[in-house]
Amino acid sequence: MSSLRPSPITPTVDFGRDGVQHGFLRLPYSRDDSAWGSVMIPMCVVRNGKGPTALLSGGNHGDEYEGPLALYDLARTLDPKQVSGTVIIVPAMNYPAFRAGTRTSPIDKGNMNRSFPGRPDGTVTEKIADYFQRELLPRADIVFDFHSGGKTLDFVPFCAAHTLPDKALEQKAFDAVAAFSAPFSMRMIEIDSVGMYDTAAEEMGKVFVSTELGGGGTSRAQTVRIARRGILNVLRHAGIVAGAVEKGRTQWLDMPSGDCFSFAEEDGMIETMVDLGEPVEEGAVLARIHSVGRTGIAPQEIRAKMSGMLAARHFPGLVKAGDCAAVVAVEVD
């Protein structure tokens, strides 16, 4: 890592200065409509003396809105007198994607959450990932990255951390999940963790916490309330913001294996047979995919490979082969 060239990104804030600073991560980006232009990624730093550092982000995917709504609000309202340490807020991490309302960047089609550790001489998305990897993550003690389902998935609202080989780090992450107090709390596994921001943080030994708060390419009043209350709870739990954690009831969920995931094997129109949060028995039909190319064809059935609760589903009415159709999780004590 030390042999890499310096990051081209310049922060317009001073990470060591007390008080509230609103500024940007400025990334030079020469293009047809701006020869000496830049991508200006909004950010905020709230600091009050020595103490732990929290790195908070939303908009890792540009069509997920609970995180940006919660974090733009937090940046505007957080009182440094209530802070002991530092809070770094980047409400829209993949800012080009966020402005376009798309999962990936319109500039280079980069999926931020599959671009780590990034490259200082790579694409725009890789340059942003590299800055987080080498400049922001090393500063942090706890890392919180908001997600929801975007335009293609919908979830029961949960806060999550990963099962990890380092059980002490895993427990710290799950303690932060509990403090967030979403309606559901998930012990999460990934389909493929290579290139993820999560993995980059965890491999550095950072406490990493995330969410999936709804989806469908929009936000709901309930999920935004969950996000705003939850992030303050995590900061209080970490000892960075003064005040007591506002605990609420949460149901823990587990994803014990890859059998949680069900995928479409054909293109067509999807009919959801189970609603989010409803119980599922192994072998039950989760969804049916109807052929739209001609009439008279029986639908393909997607059956649950395990019993549990429907935690996520495909959102649009049309589906393509390979799309994730459903996710089943297990309720645990």
Side-chain angles (χ1 to χ4, degrees):
M1 296 291 288
S2 59
S3 64
L4 294 177
R5 67 179 61 188
S7 171
I9 291 178
T10 302
T12 67
V13 298
D14 179 353
F15 292 105
R17 195 179 88 190
D18 279 2
V20 179
Q21 300 174 76
H22 299 286
F24 301 92
L25 299 175
R26 187 180 66 82
L27 169 59
Y29 171 48
S30 178
R31 54 197 188 272
D32 288 343
D33 65 345
S34 186
W36 288 2
S38 297
V39 176
M40 304 291 282
I41 304 169
M43 69 171 305
C44 173
V45 178
V46 182
R47 186 178 188 274
N48 186 17
K50 295 182 179 179
T53 295
L55 174 57
L56 314 179
S57 56
N60 187 320
H61 295 131
D63 59 351
E64 303 173 6
Y65 297 105
E66 282 83 358
L69 283 166
L71 293 181
Y72 275 109
D73 184 66
L74 183 69
R76 180 177 59 83
T77 60
L78 186 59
D79 182 353
K81 295 178 182 178
Q82 298 297 309
V83 172
S84 298
T86 304
V87 182
I88 301 171
I89 305 171
V90 185
M93 185 180 187
N94 193 343
Y95 193 64
F98 174 71
R99 289 298 301 266
T102 54
R103 181 175 178 84
T104 61
S105 173
I107 296 173
D108 53 30
K109 298 302 180 184
N111 181 339
M112 182 65 70
N113 215 27
R114 300 297 185 272
S115 297
F116 282 82
R119 292 172 50 197
D121 57 353
T123 65
V124 165
T125 303
E126 288 172 331
K127 289 173 181 177
I128 298 170
D130 169 72
Y131 188 83
F132 272 77
Q133 176 85 29
R134 292 194 292 156
E135 300 294 338
L136 294 183
L137 281 176
R139 298 176 182 273
D141 298 289
I142 184 167
V143 182
F144 198 104
D145 187 40
F146 277 102
H147 284 267
S148 60
K151 293 176 180 176
T152 63
L153 291 169
D154 197 11
F155 290 86
V156 296
F158 65 77
C159 187
H162 295 110
T163 55
L164 299 171
D166 183 337
K167 294 305 175 184
L169 183 62
E170 175 187 279
Q171 188 57 54
K172 290 179 181 178
F174 286 142
D175 288 346
V177 170
F180 188 91
S181 291
F184 296 93
S185 298
M186 181 75 79
R187 299 175 59 91
M188 199 167 186
I189 62 171
E190 299 289 347
I191 299 172
D192 180 11
S193 62
V194 175
M196 293 184 70
Y197 183 42
D198 319 38
T199 304
E202 290 159 355
E203 288 179 347
M204 287 188 189
K206 308 298 182 181
V207 175
F208 185 90
V209 183
S210 187
T211 64
E212 295 289 356
L213 298 174
T218 187
S219 63
R220 300 194 300 271
Q222 178 203 23
T223 52
V224 175
R225 286 195 298 267
I226 291 167
R228 285 176 170 155
R229 188 190 73 164
I231 196 60
L232 278 173
N233 274 344
V234 169
L235 292 172
R236 289 165 179 152
H237 166 78
I240 298 173
V241 169
V245 172
E246 297 180 11
K247 296 288 286 185
R249 183 185 180 279
T250 189
Q251 172 62 59
W252 279 88
L253 304 173
D254 191 17
M255 297 173 66
S257 73
D259 285 345
C260 296
F261 301 97
S262 295
F263 298 91
E265 296 181 359
E266 298 179 11
D267 294 0
M269 180 169 55
I270 190 166
E271 177 188 5
T272 299
M273 305 300 290
V274 182
D275 284 330
L276 289 174
E278 290 186 346
V280 172
E281 295 296 328
E282 182 179 353
V285 178
L286 296 172
R288 301 195 301 175
I289 299 177
H290 297 264
S291 174
V292 295
R294 63 177 297 162
T295 59
I297 299 176
Q300 176 206 7
E301 294 182 337
I302 298 177
R303 294 184 177 270
K305 291 172 280 187
M306 55 180 282
S307 297
M309 184 199 80
L310 189 69
R313 68 176 185 92
H314 184 78
F315 188 80
L318 298 180
V319 68
K320 295 180 180 178
D323 287 349
C324 183
V327 180
V328 174
V330 178
E331 294 183 89
V332 295
D333 295 332

